[in-house]
């Protein structure tokens, strides 16, 4: 049974707020499904995002890391559900909160399957939770999608490495090595931690 409420699951340890720009098919929108299931609250204007939360910002120069866990628990997580073009405009305005970008991950959603960094809002939130040490909550959140388990199959090794990093700079180092390895291994595909 789906919950159609602005109230989040009372047992969920992180308050999740999503700015929804209503730019795609509501039937396929992962943010709206998270709201219906009680995982997130939706706001219609970016200025309504919580002012001290962690904001997932693809243009931030600081990578999300386990060091962000305390702020996440205290002030929550905010995500943008909009097109890349719209995201640049929104992030160009003053967004209240602490901006963080996600490290490199592989999309498992049907539209962008296998593409680096082309995550849905739900995948981005799940990745943040996982990296911050909320592995079970991350899995619970994506379990409402038929393809959700695939996200962890594709990104298991990456997520575990990011979750073990001490800070943002260590995550950036991991990404640099990953990208160098990918360029060096043109004849073989790089091992992104895909499990059979």
């Amino acid at each position: 049974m789906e919950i159609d409420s602005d109230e989040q699951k009372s047992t969920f340890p992180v308050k999740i707020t999503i700015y929804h720009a209503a730019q795609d098919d509501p039937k396929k929108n992962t943010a709206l499904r998270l709201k219906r299931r009680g995982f997130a609250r939706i706001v219609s204007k970016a200025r309504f995002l919580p002012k001290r939360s962690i904001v997932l910002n693809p243009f931030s120069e600081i990578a999300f890391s386990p060091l962000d866990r305390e702020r996440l628990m205290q002030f929550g997580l905010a995500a943008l559900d909009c097109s890349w073009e719209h995201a640049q405009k929104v992030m160009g305005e003053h967004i209240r909160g602490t901006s963080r970008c996600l490290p490199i991950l592989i999309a498992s959603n049907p539209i962008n399957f296998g593409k680096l960094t082309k995550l849905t809002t739900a995948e981005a939130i799940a990745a943040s939770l996982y990296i911050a040490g909320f592995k079970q909550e991350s899995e619970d959140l994506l379990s409402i999608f038929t393809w959700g388990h695939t996200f962890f199959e594709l990104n298991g090794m990456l997520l575990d490495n990011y979750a073990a990093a001490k800070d943002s700079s260590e995550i950036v180092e991991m990404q640099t090595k990953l990208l160098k390895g990918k360029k060096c291994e043109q004849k073989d595909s790089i091992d992104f931690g895909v499990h059979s």
Side-chain angles (χ1 to χ4, degrees), residues 84-167:
W84 280 92
E85 185 178 297
H86 191 69
Q88 286 181 317
K89 181 183 171 194
V90 170
M91 297 316 292
E93 301 167 5
H94 180 67
I95 290 289
R96 303 181 314 170
T98 303
S99 288
R100 296 287 186 265
C101 65
L102 280 175
I104 293 171
L105 291 162
I106 306 163
S108 68
N109 64 81
I111 295 167
N112 291 306
F113 182 82
K115 294 180 182 174
L116 292 180
T117 72
K118 295 287 186 181
L119 308 181
T120 63
T121 303
E123 287 171 308
I125 290 169
S128 304
L129 292 171
Y130 195 109
I131 293 166
F134 297 105
K135 182 178 177 181
Q136 186 59 55
E137 290 81 358
S138 173
E139 291 172 356
D140 290 347
L141 186 138
L142 279 190
S143 72
I144 66 173
F145 302 96
T146 55
W147 45 262
H149 64 95
T150 309
F151 183 73
F152 302 106
E153 292 167 7
L154 292 174
N155 293 291
M157 185 180 73
L158 290 173
L159 287 167
D160 286 338
N161 287 340
Y162 296 149
K166 64 177 190 238
D167 58 22

Side-chain angles (χ1 to χ4, degrees), residues 42-63:
I42 299 285
V43 296
S44 59
K45 296 193 171 155
R47 70 173 183 259
F48 296 144
L49 293 172
K51 66 179 176 181
R52 298 183 74 191
S53 63
I54 297 280
V55 180
L56 295 178
N57 174 359
F59 310 107
S60 175
E61 294 180 8
I62 302 171

Side-chain angles (χ1 to χ4, degrees), residues 179-190:
L179 291 172
K180 281 183 183 174
K182 187 171 183 183
K183 287 176 187 171
C184 292
E185 298 180 18
Q186 291 298 324
K187 62 182 168 100
D188 299 320
S189 62
I190 188 167

